[in-house]
């Protein structure tokens, strides 16, 4: 029987209503999960990499640690409500970076051996334009900061999050965030002032 | 509570500005995204999610039918594209395609089990043995370019699709071609894990276990260990 004959015998209007079978529903459910994961990776890979880097993960470990963060998300995806993925990723990245710093310390391969001091890396603005030098200096300053202060500083000053967002992510009161931020900014400015060879400035 | 003004918005210090801008400007290499997707087991099938997503949100069955047809066409194009470049690669001469170009877990003995998987290439009597003579120079593709990376992703996607269709033998032959074509591919680890998946699915549990154990031995800190570990356990 030709195709024409088949269609002549069974007009389109007479076709039964299409219902997706159970296996298709299962495939679609898996696809939805994959779509969600892929979208999250598209949106947040760079954010996670940046947070890891600024929170103390060595450049060479960024690739692996970003993957670990997303694998952690993938394992817990069903528990993470829609809209809360960013907070989960940031929190995991901060934990991962803390782990990375501890591992680096054990290997005696920390990014910096000591905090910057006056006369050590005293460079002018022109030289600071050299990005590698700037990056190294930023690493040294952040590395010298207390881990709790550093997390708040990175999220507020570099990731431009609000104190309310930071409080939700770190699961601490906003007052604590404000106080840590104040101390972190004071620490940061003090160290930059030392680099500039200027006396300590009052920090707002 | 009002947030304080950010340092970058208020500072007059060139150093503070340079430092904070550098912190904000950090950007990981572009290869990070495909690496992450591969670690999540989502390598390749770049066009699939958008189609599926559109399919899910489409309201009319006509739209769904059109989207389903385009998705099927897209999925069909991936293996076709892969077959096209696989045909350019010379066939394996001395070893089973399943094992070509792959490091063996242990030195093979005469009693090594022979995979019973039907593969389109000729297999020797003892496929676990290393090749007696170096294989002919394959059509190697440099994995340094983005097009090569895309080809790798497409190849692994073909493997994944074939596995999803319960065709482990087909997946293994695709993998053999992948290892031949990309001897130093960027997604080698992912391919190794897929090979273990395929071997296990094909019922070759002993071989899968040996590969898994070897993988864990060679890459104990890999992010893929979680996927491999279940196969390594006796």
């Amino acid at each position: 029987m030709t195709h024409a004959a088949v269609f002549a015998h069974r007009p389109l209007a007479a076709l039964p209503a299409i219902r997706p079978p159970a296996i298709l529903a299962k495939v679609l459910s898996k696809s939805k999960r994959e779509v969600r994961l892929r979208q999250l990776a598209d949106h947040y890979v760079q954010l996670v990499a940046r947070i890891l880097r600024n929170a103390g993960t060595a450049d060479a470990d960024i690739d692996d640690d970003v993957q670990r963060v997303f694998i952690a998300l993938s394992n817990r995806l069903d528990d993470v409500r829609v809209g809360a993925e960013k907070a989960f990723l940031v929190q995991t990245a901060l934990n991962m970076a803390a782990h990375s710093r501890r591992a680096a310390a054990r290997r005696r391969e920390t990014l910096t051996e000591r905090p910057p001091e006056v006369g050590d890396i005293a460079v002018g603005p022109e030289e600071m334009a050299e990005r590698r030098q700037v990056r190294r200096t930023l690493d040294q300053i952040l590395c010298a900061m207390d881990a709790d202060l550093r997390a708040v500083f990175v999220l507020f000053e570099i990731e431009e999050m609000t104190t309310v967002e930071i409080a939700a992510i770190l699961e601490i009161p906003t007052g604590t965030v404000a106080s840590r931020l104040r101390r972190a900014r004071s620490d940061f400015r003090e160290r930059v002032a030392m680099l500039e060879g200027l006396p300590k400035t009052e920090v707002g | 509570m009002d947030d304080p003004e950010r340092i970058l918005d208020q500072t007059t210090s060139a150093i503070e500005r340079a430092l904070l801008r550098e912190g904000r400007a950090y950007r990981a290499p572009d290869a990070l995204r495909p690496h992450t997707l591969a670690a999540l087991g989502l390598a390749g099938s770049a066009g699939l999610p958008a189609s599926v997503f559109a399919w899910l949100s489409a309201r009319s069955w006509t739209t769904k039918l059109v989207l389903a047809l385009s998705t099927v066409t897209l999925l069909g194009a991936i293996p076709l594209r892969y077959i096209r470049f696989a045909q350019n690669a010379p066939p394996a001469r001395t070893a089973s395609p399943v094992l070509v170009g792959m490091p063996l877990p242990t030195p093979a003995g005469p009693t090594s089990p022979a995979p019973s998987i039907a593969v389109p290439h000729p297999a020797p009597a003892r496929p676990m043995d290393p090749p007696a003579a170096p294989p002919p120079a394959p059509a190697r593709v440099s994995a340094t370019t983005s097009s090569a990376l895309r080809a790798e992703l497409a190849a692994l996607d073909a493997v994944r699709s074939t596995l999803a269709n319960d065709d482990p033998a087909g997946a293994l032959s695709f993998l053999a071609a992948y290892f031949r074509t990309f001897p130093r591919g960027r997604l080698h680890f992912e391919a190794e894990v897929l090979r273990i998946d395929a071997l296990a699915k094909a019922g070759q549990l002993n071989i899968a276990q040996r590969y898994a154990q070897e993988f864990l031995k060679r890459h104990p800190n890999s992010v893929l260990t979680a996927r491999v570990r279940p196969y390594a356990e006796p």
Side-chain angles (χ1 to χ4, degrees):
Chain A
M1 188 184 289
T2 64
H3 287 291
V6 170
F7 284 114
H9 180 66
R10 290 187 70 189
L12 280 175
L15 285 173
I18 303 168
R19 291 281 179 272
I23 190 164
L24 182 59
K26 197 176 170 187
V27 168
L28 287 177
S29 160
K30 191 180 171 194
S31 294
K32 269 184 185 174
R33 190 177 191 282
E34 290 183 0
V35 168
R36 188 178 171 201
L37 267 179
R38 190 182 290 273
Q39 284 177 337
L40 291 170
D42 287 346
H43 278 99
Y44 295 125
V45 155
Q46 288 297 336
L47 170 79
V48 169
R50 199 166 53 240
I51 286 177
L52 283 168
R53 186 70 188 82
N54 288 317
T57 301
D59 228 353
D61 296 332
I62 293 290
D63 200 321
D64 282 353
D65 279 1
V66 168
Q67 292 176 34
R68 287 193 177 98
V69 169
F70 275 93
I71 285 173
L73 173 69
S74 172
N75 292 339
R76 299 281 307 277
L77 192 62
D78 295 335
D79 302 330
V80 180
R81 66 177 170 77
V82 176
E85 298 98 338
K86 183 180 175 186
F88 180 89
L89 287 169
V90 171
Q91 208 170 24
T92 312
L94 289 171
N95 291 339
M96 197 71 75
H99 176 78
S100 182
R101 284 198 306 272
R102 283 194 297 273
R106 277 198 299 274
R107 293 196 310 259
R108 296 176 183 279
E109 289 174 6
T110 45
L111 288 168
T112 178
E113 291 173 354
R114 53 194 168 139
E117 292 170 4
V118 179
D120 186 10
I121 323 168
V123 290
E126 291 84 11
E127 290 169 73
M128 287 286 283
E130 189 72 40
R131 287 193 63 179
R132 201 179 296 178
Q133 174 65 34
V134 176
R135 181 72 241 183
R136 199 177 306 136
T137 308
L138 179 62
D139 284 340
Q140 287 174 329
I141 291 176
L142 293 176
C143 194
M145 235 181 240
D146 179 82
D148 289 340
L149 305 189
R150 178 181 189 158
V152 173
F153 183 84
V154 166
L155 296 183
F156 185 83
E157 297 291 351
I158 296 178
E159 296 305 328
E160 300 182 77
M161 292 182 186
T162 65
T163 50
V164 174
E165 281 178 293
I166 297 170
I169 287 170
L170 299 180
E171 296 171 347
I172 53 176
T174 47
T176 308
V177 173
S179 122
R180 286 183 188 178
L181 180 60
R182 202 163 41 245
R183 284 159 57 205
R185 285 156 64 108
S186 170
D187 187 288
F188 175 78
R189 291 194 135 167
E190 199 171 316
R191 289 177 191 283
V192 172
M194 285 197 294
L195 293 179
E196 290 172 324
L198 298 174
K200 180 184 170 184
T201 53
E202 196 61 38
V203 180
Chain B
M1 184 200 295
D2 285 341
D3 285 345
E5 201 177 358
R6 290 190 169 76
I7 292 177
L8 199 52
D9 298 332
Q10 53 162 272
T11 186
T12 54
S13 161
I15 295 181
E16 282 182 357
R17 251 200 315 274
L19 289 169
L20 291 172
R21 278 189 183 146
E22 183 59 28
R24 290 184 187 183
Y26 177 81
R27 189 172 168 76
D30 289 340
L32 180 60
R33 182 183 164 277
H35 285 175
T36 307
L37 291 178
L40 294 171
L42 299 174
S45 65
L48 178 62
S51 304
V52 172
F53 192 71
W55 196 91
L56 290 169
S57 55
R59 288 184 183 176
S60 77
W61 277 105
T62 313
T63 314
K64 285 182 180 179
L65 188 64
V66 171
L67 285 169
L69 285 173
S70 56
T71 304
V72 167
T73 310
L74 182 71
L75 284 173
I78 293 169
L80 282 176
R81 183 180 166 195
Y82 176 70
I83 287 165
R84 199 178 63 187
F85 83 70
Q87 281 172 343
N88 293 332
R93 213 173 41 182
T94 55
S96 161
V98 176
L99 304 165
V100 168
M102 306 173 186
L104 295 173
T106 53
T111 55
S112 299
S116 60
I117 304 158
V119 288
H121 302 293
R126 292 190 305 160
M128 287 299 285
D129 281 346
R140 295 189 177 192
V141 177
S142 163
T144 55
T145 61
S146 58
S147 61
L149 185 59
R150 276 200 296 275
E152 276 192 63
L153 287 169
L156 291 188
D157 189 57
V159 173
R160 204 182 306 284
S161 303
T162 317
L163 259 182
N165 289 331
D166 286 331
D167 182 9
L172 285 167
S173 61
F174 276 160
L175 275 168
Y178 169 85
F179 281 111
R180 245 190 346 263
T181 315
F182 304 101
R184 291 180 185 175
R186 288 189 193 179
L187 304 176
H188 231 258
F189 288 177
E190 174 66 9
E192 285 187 36
V193 176
L194 283 172
R195 178 184 57 184
I196 294 166
D197 281 340
L199 284 167
K201 211 165 184 179
Q204 307 274 348
L205 294 176
N206 288 342
I207 303 178
Q209 187 186 27
R210 287 170 62 190
Y211 275 117
Q213 287 168 346
E214 180 62 19
F215 183 94
L216 292 175
K217 206 165 117 188
R218 281 186 286 123
H219 315 292
N221 298 320
S222 167
V223 293
L224 297 170
T225 52
R227 282 173 62 191
V228 173
R229 192 161 287 119
Y231 295 115
E233 290 161 2

